Amino acid sequence: MVNKDKNKLKVLITGGAGFIGSHVVRLFVNKYPNYEIVNLDALTYAGNLENLKDVENASNYSFVKGDITDASFIHKIFSEYQFNGVIHLAAESHVDRSIADPLAFVKTNVIGTMNLLNAAKENWKGQFENKLFYHISTDEVYGSLGESGLFTEETNYDPNSPYAASKASSDHFVRAYGETYGLPYIISNCSNNYGPNQFPEKLIPLFIHNIIQEQPLPVYGDGNYTRDWLFVIDHARAIDLIFHNSEKNKTYNVGGFNEWKNIDLVGLLCRIMDKKLHRQEGASSQLITYVKDRPAHDLRYAIDASKINKDLGWRPSVTFEEGLEKTIDWYLENQKWLKNVTSGAYQEYYKEQYKY
Ligand code: NAD
Ligand code: TYD
């Protein structure tokens, strides 16, 4: 939508040093040599410039360290660069941390998004044409499904965790700025991502890390919770398609057509890891430890991604087995990365969260 010609666009990607953001930055830097890609990131515990080593010297890429909760800094950046488009991924993103410290999620996810919206509104005043504020959100805003049904773009918002509530709030503000001020926006709500560079606090990288270390695999409750998993590179492909081709003021659901109960997923992961690590069959599953459930744990997420498929022809390009294998291989080959991110503050978080 923002790119009807192939002119040099200036695109601000927030949260580009994080998990999904780094894959989006890499895709845009490599695919659009004429663009100027600016990655703005505060480099919290979840942000890591190691994720972008391969593109850091590209001539169409620059990194700005900064915090989206700092309104005057954000206004300054907008007037300095004169962006055509924003892809907003910066967020506090982990449900368990939101239960421990909900205010941090309000600050970054709500106030931070407001600062970006205000800066875009002011900076683009009177020239909304060919501008776009693309807000990356989550399916968790819809709350929990029962055993059947799918989230569509029309499903009512019904967030249960502080993380989901903060993302829902930011989505509402984005839409309200579109309605009230005419700010051109798009929102996409995606299911659980997995892949290289994901911080090992979310299920898949945490369990890969713990299997390597032969540490317990803490399964919450009875493990019968269902998530719809999407390989991160397929999410980045969807973001690219939506950014360039969607009509303005639309929302898209993005999902993997790939539902797994946690305990089945963990079983598959254990089997693959046993083979990769040349361990006896069944060795990793011995590490499974049922622990106290997460409060307000959503039973099931599943996305109906037929709209993005119909409008833009998007589908996941890899099967779950392929994606998981690529992911495991990446973590096995990048144990230094794992070691770096799990030193220091990570240990404190881990002890507090799992209290073994
Ligand atoms: P992440 O936690 O890996 O990365 C977040 C990035 O934002 C980090 O680089 C961090 O340094 C940066 N950041 C945090 N607070 C900031 C601030 N105040 N100012 C500037 N930068 C800040 O998250 P992710 O998993 O890559 O998720 C990215 C986006 O996608 C988030 O908006 C999230 O809600 C959404 N999302 C994630 C998933 C998923 O499964 N991971 C699924 C759907 C949607
Ligand atoms: P997570 O990766 O935190 O993503 P989300 O909560 O955003 O879906 O968790 C995925 C599922 O795995 C969720 O049902 C919670 C569960 N889970 C565990 O059982 N143990 C863990 O240690 C973690 C982090 C998650």
Side-chain angles (χ1 to χ4, degrees), residues 148-167:
S148 63
L150 297 172
F151 296 133
T152 73
E153 287 80 0
E154 274 69 50
T155 303
N156 287 336
Y157 278 29
D158 191 16
N160 291 316
S161 71
Y163 164 63
S166 68
K167 291 296 289 188

Side-chain angles (χ1 to χ4, degrees), residues 41 83 91 116 139 184 188 199 287 307 340:
D41 198 298
F83 301 114
L116 290 163
D139 61 354
S188 58
F199 192 80
L287 300 169
K307 183 175 161 192
N340 287 347

Side-chain angles (χ1 to χ4, degrees), residues 302-320:
I303 284 270
D304 175 354
S306 54
K307 183 175 161 192
I308 182 172
N309 178 248
K310 193 166 141 281
D311 286 5
L312 304 176
W314 176 90
R315 278 198 69 78
S317 68
V318 294
T319 65
F320 189 51

